[in-house]
Amino acid sequence: MAEEFLKPENLHQNRAQDNAPAWRYDIRGNCRLVMRLLTEMQLRAVVALAPLVGDDNLAGNALVALLAESWRAGAQSLAHGSIEEGRPITIRAMGRSFHRPYETMRRALRKLADMDLIELRDDGVVLCRDIATHPAVRKYLVQMHDIMVTLMDDLFVFAKLPLPPFAKGAATQDGLILAALDLHLLGAEAMESLIADWTGLLVISAITAGNTRDITYHPELAFTYAAADAIPPMHLRRPVLFKNLCETLPICATTAWRRVTVLKMLGAVKTVDGGLVNDSKWFGNSKIVDSICSMVERMHHIIGKIPLDISQGFAPESHYITGRVPPVAL
């Protein structure tokens, strides 16, 4: 039965009447499955970034955004280090992008400058020219590369989604890194209208991932609860211990407790058997579902732009630098 359900034609039944790639059809038919895998990827990315910026989400997202723009412009390369100086971005522009006041944005960027990761100049902010060879940054970028390959492994090998029409060109490490950076930022962007506080978003994402971890990678349950209207029953959700959140995520216990308290007041989270569990109303909230579907659609677009030659099929093991990245312990 599981094998039958895994067939691409069963995962993508109600195909749209347009020229969209086959793997983008019927988003609502598998959005929960894809979103669980994407959430796992984004949690890996947050933990990978923590050694650079600690629990400063704004500084971390600013660094990721600057790295993404530099890689998009071809100004940086994992293999060759700095190639050319990127285009300066003003503090006000970054503040508008992240919906943060000028002074709040400036303090976050000053932190990155004090760490010799960026330069604050009169004409704006630029990455340091040798950032691609900075040991801690290089380690982070290698991790992000393998985190991206792990997500693609999950999507195309485990979930058996049809391969997208990747951008023409040879597979490059830089293309995979850029996709990983963009997907890291995607969660905060897509959910900002619902949870503007990034720390709260991190907490609810971790609780959701921990609750459904036994479903996410189960060979049958993963597909039983794949569609937008397939809400996992309470008895399948594994409670997440508060101490595990604090030990795993770059967040202090006091801050985490405040966010959990707010989430409980909003009816998104409750305590069950001494652990934290998402309320079923949260899973079924129409705005949440619409945001998930939108995020999955944007994920498809980002991954489809990776220059990857799949003429011989997709073999994740041939793309890893150090190997598959395990899920964040929750």
Side-chain angles (χ1 to χ4, degrees):
M1 171 126 182
E3 289 74 16
E4 186 67 21
F5 197 93
L6 283 166
K7 290 181 179 179
E9 60 266 28
N10 291 333
L11 284 172
H12 302 269
Q13 292 179 8
N14 301 315
R15 298 193 167 188
Q17 300 301 312
D18 57 23
N19 295 320
W23 84 304
R24 295 176 61 188
Y25 291 128
D26 191 20
I27 293 296
R28 298 182 75 88
N30 59 32
C31 72
R32 288 195 187 274
L33 166 62
V34 175
M35 191 62 212
R36 287 195 296 267
L37 297 173
L38 178 58
T39 300
E40 294 282 4
M41 177 269 174
Q42 290 168 335
L43 288 175
R44 291 178 176 105
V46 168
V47 172
L49 183 63
L52 282 172
V53 297
D55 61 356
D56 192 329
N57 285 313
L58 181 56
N61 284 341
L63 178 60
V64 173
L66 289 168
L67 287 168
E69 287 306 307
S70 188
W71 252 258
R72 199 183 325 280
Q76 302 285 345
S77 170
L78 183 66
H80 305 295
S82 178
I83 298 175
E84 60 186 51
E85 190 174 86
R87 178 177 60 86
I89 302 175
T90 67
I91 296 176
R92 291 193 185 280
M94 291 206 68
R96 287 195 298 269
S97 176
F98 288 114
H99 306 290
R100 296 297 185 270
Y102 175 88
E103 187 58 28
T104 301
M105 193 74 246
R106 188 195 68 79
R107 286 197 300 268
L109 293 172
R110 169 52 59 188
K111 178 176 181 177
L112 296 176
D114 291 342
M115 297 169 63
D116 295 325
L117 296 175
I118 67 170
E119 295 179 16
L120 286 175
R121 307 188 321 195
D122 292 340
D123 58 348
V125 182
V126 295
L127 291 171
C128 291
R129 287 180 60 85
D130 61 347
I131 194 167
T133 59
H134 187 296
V137 175
R138 187 173 181 83
K139 179 179 179 181
Y140 163 69
L141 292 171
V142 169
Q143 284 182 293
M144 288 299 286
H145 174 279
D146 283 356
I147 285 170
M148 188 65 220
V149 179
T150 299
L151 173 63
M152 294 169 68
D153 194 347
D154 286 347
L155 293 173
F156 306 132
V157 179
F158 172 72
K160 298 187 183 299
L161 294 186
L163 288 167
F166 292 109
K168 300 298 182 182
T172 64
Q173 292 178 342
D174 291 333
L176 289 164
I177 289 171
L178 175 57
L181 296 172
D182 282 341
L183 288 179
H184 181 161
L185 293 171
L186 179 59
E189 294 172 1
M191 299 294 283
E192 193 164 32
S193 62
L194 298 171
I195 304 180
D197 172 47
W198 290 337
T199 303
L201 176 60
L202 174 59
V203 170
I204 191 67
S205 297
I207 293 172
T208 302
N211 286 174
T212 58
R213 179 71 56 76
D214 295 339
I215 297 171
T216 300
Y217 294 102
H218 191 282
E220 294 183 8
L221 292 178
F223 304 97
T224 301
Y225 301 101
D229 58 353
I231 301 175
M234 186 63 73
H235 73 274
L236 290 178
R237 300 178 212 167
R238 176 166 57 85
V240 175
L241 298 180
F242 179 76
K243 72 179 186 66
N244 289 351
L245 288 178
C246 301
E247 291 172 355
T248 302
L249 303 178
I251 180 173
C252 73
T254 302
T255 301
W257 185 254
R258 287 200 297 266
R259 298 308 188 276
V260 168
T261 300
V262 171
L263 290 170
K264 286 184 175 181
M265 291 174 60
L266 293 173
V269 172
K270 59 184 178 182
T271 300
V272 176
D273 296 333
L276 299 168
V277 177
N278 284 137
D279 191 274
S280 294
K281 292 180 181 179
W282 168 265
F283 275 111
N285 184 296
S286 60
K287 291 183 178 180
I288 297 293
V289 174
D290 289 343
S291 293
I292 288 174
C293 292
S294 174
M295 202 181 312
V296 170
E297 177 69 20
R298 292 174 64 187
M299 182 207 74
H300 288 163
H301 178 70
I302 290 169
I303 292 180
K305 292 170 65 176
I306 299 173
L308 197 64
D309 181 5
I310 58 170
S311 58
Q312 303 300 317
F314 177 68
E317 61 276 6
S318 68
H319 294 288
Y320 286 115
I321 296 177
T322 60
R324 181 178 173 84
V325 182
V328 173
L330 290 170

